[in-house]
Amino acid sequence: MGRYYQPEIETASREEILRIQNEKIVKQVKHVYENVKYYRDLMDKKGVKPEDIKSVDDIKKLPFLSKADLRDSYPYGMLGTDLKNCVRIHSTSGTTGKRVVAFYTQNDVDLWEDCVARAIVAAGGSKGDVLQVAYGFGLFTGGAGVHGGSHKVGCLTLPMSSGNTDRQIQFMMDLGSTIICCTPSYAAHIGEVLAEKGYKPEDNKLKCGIFGAEPWTEEMRQTIEKSLGIKAYDIYGLTETSGPGVAYECEEQNGMHINEDHFYAEIIDPDTGEVLPEGSKGELVFTSLDKEAFPLLRYRTRDICILSREKCSCGRTFVKMCKPMGRSDDMLIIRGVNVFPSQIETVLLNEGYSPNYQIIVDRVNNSDTIDINVELTPDKFSDIISENLAKEKKLEGAMRTMLGIGPKIHLVPPKTITRSEGKAVRVIDKRKLHD
């Protein structure tokens, strides 16, 4: 199978990709207008008819969809087909209120699994691999999506789900897993536990890992690669667009190729909604070009990133998105300064600390406070208070340089910040409770 799962599309010419997108968008807008009343009303309000959309250039005429729309139309308002044609649902974690429920026809599932299969092959996976799925199974899309993609590639698939780290390690060592897929924070945790058990990185058979579902930095990638002795690849997706596999990294490991035959990407100004020229930094918006059951048009992801069409040495012609640089909605504004959790993680890893941290924002006497609990690794932990104080002061200085404001740092003993097997809760914003 070589380096591609579907070479004819992954390396298609720009003209061919555009031809596919133009053909699909015309059909999809018609499908949505006829079947999804909620979106038809939005189009009517904006005065747009399906016949106004002749190519992807016309997408900008369509109204946006946001998470609020999906909550308002819960559960069936966005359904694009008869319920009896649907074979599965998945749902978001509901971290921001009412859950989003996404529906899938069998064709939707097949196309989604193709996308994940492309990601696995791009990371070096093939028929002879043993792929350990340590993403959660259930309503979360991670486990099921990677499981299906792994089957398509023909890997021996271990559907471990998340958690039970001792069992993960037992199967990894006994069955010789060569690829592991989970959240980056869980991969880092598995690396910690392996070291505690006395294993060296070369003792496992892993060659690569595919990690997603939460933001992670280059520094964290290096930490994981070192502790597991692998190459760590990023994968991107949202429940709203199907799940993991919307975009994925190739061997260049510098940006994720978007599966453009299934998803059309735009970058907009998050404040005005205006489409920005190529190479601009802004909010990522996706249109599903061929989903039947849950066909979202111009869905605002809230992820901030940049798209690039620079030629890639892997031979894939799909546009690349950079790692999301934060979110237009989880950006913290503290004393008027924009702070992204990823900036804090970068400082911690540069200064040699573990990426297990928690940010607590509060408001005291009308002034914002920011405290960061940072977990020490056993080798850094000291009972000598003055030593810890000196370390805290040094870290506060490094944070001030990066963020422009000075947080209060608290170094806490190993294993005191709750480990997450799903998405790590990095930020506790208590200001919302007082407002």
Side-chain angles (χ1 to χ4, degrees):
M1 234 182 327
R3 305 186 352 222
Y4 313 111
Y5 178 66
Q6 292 166 319
E8 66 296 338
I9 181 65
E10 292 175 66
T11 61
S13 69
R14 197 68 238 126
E15 295 71 41
E16 177 59 12
I17 291 168
L18 263 172
R19 187 192 64 72
I20 292 169
Q21 290 181 327
N22 289 338
E23 200 175 288
K24 286 186 175 181
I25 191 64
V26 172
K27 263 173 70 175
Q28 186 70 313
V29 173
K30 193 170 176 306
H31 167 66
V32 171
Y33 191 81
E34 286 168 6
N35 294 285
V36 183
K37 183 186 179 308
Y38 189 98
Y39 198 78
R40 179 168 63 244
D41 292 346
L42 289 179
M43 280 177 68
D44 288 346
K45 209 158 108 190
K46 211 172 172 206
V48 195
K49 289 277 174 277
E51 48 275 18
D52 298 333
I53 311 300
K54 297 178 173 63
S55 74
V56 284
D57 288 342
D58 296 323
I59 280 184
K60 54 181 174 295
K61 298 175 181 170
L62 293 168
F64 291 113
L65 281 172
S66 68
K67 199 112 177 195
D69 290 306
L70 305 193
R71 286 202 287 269
D72 293 346
S73 57
Y74 170 92
Y76 296 121
M78 287 290 172
L79 193 59
T81 183
D82 199 314
L83 201 54
K84 69 173 187 293
N85 299 326
C86 298
V87 297
R88 198 193 298 171
I89 70 149
H90 281 288
S91 173
T92 56
S93 48
T95 41
T96 50
K98 210 186 254 180
R99 287 171 173 273
V100 170
V101 174
F103 297 86
Y104 300 74
T105 63
Q106 187 55 52
N107 187 53
D108 291 338
V109 172
D110 285 341
L111 296 182
W112 174 22
E113 290 176 350
D114 282 347
C115 288
V116 180
R118 291 175 188 176
I120 293 168
V121 174
S126 66
K127 218 172 167 48
D129 279 300
V130 179
L131 188 144
Q132 184 159 340
V133 186
Y135 281 114
F137 279 74
L139 289 171
F140 174 57
T141 54
V146 173
H147 179 86
S150 176
H151 276 229
K152 286 224 163 159
V153 176
C155 306
L156 174 63
T157 309
L158 313 186
M160 302 292 297
S161 198
S162 59
N164 199 334
T165 307
D166 286 345
R167 189 177 63 189
Q168 299 276 4
I169 287 170
Q170 184 196 338
F171 272 80
M172 181 192 291
M173 301 314 268
D174 294 352
L175 289 166
S177 302
T178 55
I179 302 175
I180 183 158
C181 302
C182 58
T183 59
S185 53
Y186 194 46
H189 178 56
I190 291 173
E192 279 176 12
V193 177
L194 278 167
E196 280 164 19
K197 289 179 181 288
Y199 288 112
K200 293 187 183 64
E202 59 272 20
D203 294 339
N204 68 59
K205 290 229 166 71
L206 293 173
K207 60 179 186 184
C208 67
I210 301 173
F211 308 121
E214 61 187 21
W216 52 309
T217 52
E218 281 309 313
E219 291 80 5
M220 189 161 180
R221 187 204 303 264
Q222 283 152 20
T223 304
I224 293 169
E225 290 193 333
K226 240 193 354 250
S227 73
L228 294 174
I230 59 171
K231 277 189 83 164
Y233 294 91
D234 206 348
I235 189 168
Y236 177 89
L238 310 144
T239 304
E240 296 87 339
T241 51
S242 65
V246 171
Y248 57 89
E249 275 187 328
C250 61
E251 64 254 33
E252 273 201 2
Q253 289 178 294
N254 68 352
M256 292 170 277
H257 289 286
I258 295 172
N259 283 308
E260 288 189 274
D261 52 332
H262 300 302
F263 305 101
Y264 181 79
E266 303 169 88
I267 294 286
I268 64 162
D269 178 319
D271 299 323
T272 65
E274 174 202 357
V275 179
L276 298 174
E278 199 165 297
S280 308
K281 177 176 167 179
E283 182 182 341
L284 184 60
V285 172
F286 275 119
T287 291
S288 295
L289 293 170
D290 44 22
K291 282 191 69 178
E292 297 170 339
F294 199 63
L296 299 189
L297 304 178
R298 298 199 90 195
Y299 180 69
R300 296 185 60 160
T301 65
R302 298 286 173 200
D303 283 321
I304 300 290
C305 79
I306 297 170
L307 298 181
S308 159
R309 289 219 175 269
E310 263 174 50
K311 206 166 152 59
C312 187
S313 64
C314 77
R316 286 177 185 79
T317 47
F318 290 155
V319 68
K320 267 184 179 174
M321 59 178 276
C322 71
K323 256 184 189 308
M325 299 148 126
R327 291 169 63 78
S328 62
D329 59 357
D330 80 356
M331 175 178 80
L332 295 161
I333 301 180
I334 299 163
R335 289 178 238 145
V337 177
N338 295 351
V339 174
F340 287 106
S342 55
Q343 295 173 302
I344 288 167
E345 191 172 299
T346 298
V347 173
L348 292 177
L349 288 156
N350 283 341
E351 296 287 323
Y353 290 89
S354 88
N356 288 309
Y357 64 94
Q358 203 155 43
I359 304 162
I360 296 147
V361 186
D362 208 342
R363 187 165 287 147
V364 180
N365 302 330
N366 297 323
S367 175
D368 291 339
T369 62
I370 172 167
D371 290 73
I372 305 171
N373 294 334
V374 179
E375 198 177 88
L376 290 166
T377 48
D379 57 307
K380 275 203 174 342
F381 183 62
S382 159
D383 285 338
I384 305 162
I385 290 175
S386 60
E387 268 187 28
N388 284 341
L389 279 174
K391 285 179 186 164
E392 286 175 348
K393 283 278 160 287
K394 183 171 181 289
L395 202 44
E396 282 169 6
M399 288 289 179
R400 185 184 292 278
T401 306
M402 167 68 97
L403 305 174
I405 55 168
K408 186 92 192 72
I409 300 286
H410 309 273
L411 296 177
V412 298
K415 302 272 184 261
T416 45
I417 291 177
T418 319
R419 286 297 186 280
S420 140
E421 286 150 6
K423 295 193 183 189
V425 179
R426 294 288 188 216
V427 182
I428 297 169
D429 193 339
K430 296 181 171 174
R431 295 175 300 182
K432 295 179 178 143
L433 305 175
H434 312 324
D435 287 356

